[in-house]
Amino acid sequence: MPGEQPQLYETLDERFRTGRCQAGDSRLEVLYEGCRWAEGPVYVPAGRYLLWSDIPNDRLLRWDETTGAVGVFRSPAGYPNGNTLDGQGRLITCEQGNRRVTRTEHDGSVTVIAERFRGKRLNSPNDAVVKSDGSVWFSDPEFGIATDYEGHRGESEIGARNVYRVDPGSGEVRLVADGFQGPNGLVFDPGEHQLYVSDSLANHIRVFDVRDDGALTGGEVFAECANGSFDNIRFDDEGRLWAAALHGGVHCYDPDGTLLGRVLVPGTVANIRFGGARRNRMFIAADTTLYSLVMSVTGTPPLPPAGP
C-alpha cells in the first residue's frame, strides 16, 4: 500500500525480540550517497564525527554528527579499507594500495605500523583491531592486489592469507593465525579472551582463544553464512555478535552461535560500526551509501588508554 515501509528487521529466534534488538529506528537513515565502494566506518567520540573509506576513489571521508556535513578527510589515502582507533584515540588504517597498516598521530602525521612480515611485503591489509595492551591485530587477504580497482594489481610475496599481531613494544609483526581463504573482519569478545575472524571466501566466522602471550589457539567455526558472505564483525555490550553479511544484510548472533535475526539493508553490506554519544547508533557501509540506524542495543565501550 502507498507509504508502506519495507521490512527492516527479520526475527529468526525469539531472543532477538526479547532482547529488544529490533526496537530501534523503523527505517534506515541515509547519511551519504556517492561512494564507489564504502567500507571501514569508525566513530571518533572526541570530535563527534565518523570516518570511513571509499576504496576505489582512494579517499577517507568524514561525516560530522553535529552538522551532517560530509567532506574529504584524506586523499590520496592508500586505497584504505578497515579503520579503528587505539587507546589514545589515534586512527589505525589498513591501506590496501600501500600494502601496510598505519597510525595517524594527533598532529596529523602518519606512522607506518606494519608493511612487511619476515622481509616480505604484506598482501593488502583489510581490517584491524586494537587490544587493550596496545597490540594491533590485522587481517591480510589478497583483495587489494587482485585487481587495480581497490589497490594495485600485484603478486603475493608471502604466498598466504593470514592474521598478524603487531607487538606494542617492539613493533614486531607476528603471525598468529593462518589457513584462511580470505580473512576479513576481526573483533575481540568484550573480555578480550577470544578473537573472532570472518573468512569472506569460506563464508564463515572462526573463534580463537587468546593466550596471555598473544598466541592464539583453537579456531573452530562459530557461524556459517547461508545467505551472503561475512565481512566485518562487531559485538554489542550484551555479548551478541553482529556481522556485515554482504548480500544478507546485518546478522545478529547469540553467544551460543544461534542466528537470532537480521537487519535487512538494501545493497551489499560491507562494514558496520557502533558509535554515537551512547554507542547505540549503528553505522552501515553498503555499496555506495553510508547508512545510520539508532538502535535499542549498545556497542561495546571504547578501549581504555594503554600508554603512549
Side-chain angles (χ1 to χ4, degrees), residues 95 100-103 105 110-116:
E95 299 181 8
R100 66 186 191 180
V101 182
T102 62
R103 180 178 65 233
E105 310 295 347
V110 175
T111 300
V112 177
I113 296 175
E115 58 184 345
R116 293 182 179 272

Side-chain angles (χ1 to χ4, degrees), residues 199-274:
D199 191 327
S200 294
L201 298 183
N203 295 344
H204 61 216
I205 297 170
R206 295 170 63 187
V207 56
F208 298 85
D209 293 320
V210 182
R211 296 192 337 198
D212 292 341
D213 62 359
L216 299 180
T217 59
E220 296 79 10
V221 173
F222 170 77
E224 295 183 343
C225 193
N227 183 6
S229 180
F230 293 121
D231 202 301
N232 92 313
I233 44 183
R234 294 287 177 258
F235 272 101
D236 66 27
D237 64 359
E238 295 189 13
R240 291 175 293 245
L241 183 69
W242 297 77
L246 298 180
H247 301 292
V250 180
H251 291 192
C252 175
Y253 290 90
D254 188 78
D256 67 9
T258 302
L259 177 58
L260 302 179
R262 299 191 299 154
V263 181
L264 305 178
V265 180
T268 306
V269 181
N271 265 221
I272 56 174
R273 172 78 67 162
F274 286 104

Side-chain angles (χ1 to χ4, degrees), residues 9-267:
Y9 303 97
E10 180 184 22
T11 298
L12 301 174
D13 185 286
E14 188 60 24
R15 287 172 287 180
F16 193 67
R17 195 185 316 277
T18 58
R20 299 185 59 80
C21 297
Q22 84 304 348
D25 284 352
S26 60
R27 68 180 68 184
L28 293 168
E29 179 183 359
V30 176
L31 300 182
Y32 180 77
E33 293 180 288
C35 297
R36 273 201 162 89
W37 178 245
E39 282 266 15
V42 59
Y43 183 77
V44 183
R48 292 189 63 188
Y49 61 84
L50 182 94
L51 299 174
W52 81 99
S53 301
D54 182 4
I55 304 177
N57 282 326
D58 192 13
R59 61 183 183 173
L60 283 167
L61 296 173
R62 180 184 186 275
W63 171 80
D64 189 294
E65 187 175 25
T66 61
T67 66
V70 173
V72 175
F73 178 79
R74 181 183 298 155
S75 182
Y79 291 88
N81 195 322
N83 300 283
T84 194
L85 299 180
D86 68 8
Q88 303 300 314
R90 297 171 295 190
L91 177 67
I92 306 295
T93 299
C94 293
E95 299 181 8
Q96 289 191 165
N98 291 331
R99 300 172 73 161
R100 66 186 191 180
V101 182
T102 62
R103 180 178 65 233
T104 300
E105 310 295 347
H106 292 306
D107 64 3
S109 61
V110 175
T111 300
V112 177
I113 296 175
E115 58 184 345
R116 293 182 179 272
F117 173 65
R118 295 177 179 171
K120 298 179 179 181
R121 293 187 71 191
L122 299 172
N123 298 323
S124 58
N126 185 282
D127 196 19
V129 64
V130 181
K131 200 168 181 283
S132 60
D133 64 1
S135 57
V136 177
W137 305 58
F138 66 94
S139 57
D140 188 39
E142 297 179 0
F143 304 141
I145 59 174
T147 71
D148 289 317
Y149 188 70
E150 293 189 1
H152 305 291
R153 183 181 305 180
E155 297 296 324
S156 171
E157 295 184 12
I158 295 173
R161 299 158 294 277
N162 303 320
V163 173
Y164 299 95
R165 174 187 183 270
V166 183
D167 186 86
S170 67
E172 176 192 7
V173 178
R174 175 180 172 188
L175 172 67
V176 290
D178 56 14
F180 297 97
Q181 296 182 41
N184 199 318
L186 308 173
V187 68
F188 288 106
D189 76 305
E192 296 188 331
H193 302 300
Q194 295 178 311
L195 178 71
Y196 290 71
V197 182
S198 69
D199 191 327
S200 294
L201 298 183
N203 295 344
H204 61 216
I205 297 170
R206 295 170 63 187
V207 56
F208 298 85
D209 293 320
V210 182
R211 296 192 337 198
D212 292 341
D213 62 359
L216 299 180
T217 59
E220 296 79 10
V221 173
F222 170 77
E224 295 183 343
C225 193
N227 183 6
S229 180
F230 293 121
D231 202 301
N232 92 313
I233 44 183
R234 294 287 177 258
F235 272 101
D236 66 27
D237 64 359
E238 295 189 13
R240 291 175 293 245
L241 183 69
W242 297 77
L246 298 180
H247 301 292
V250 180
H251 291 192
C252 175
Y253 290 90
D254 188 78
D256 67 9
T258 302
L259 177 58
L260 302 179
R262 299 191 299 154
V263 181
L264 305 178
V265 180

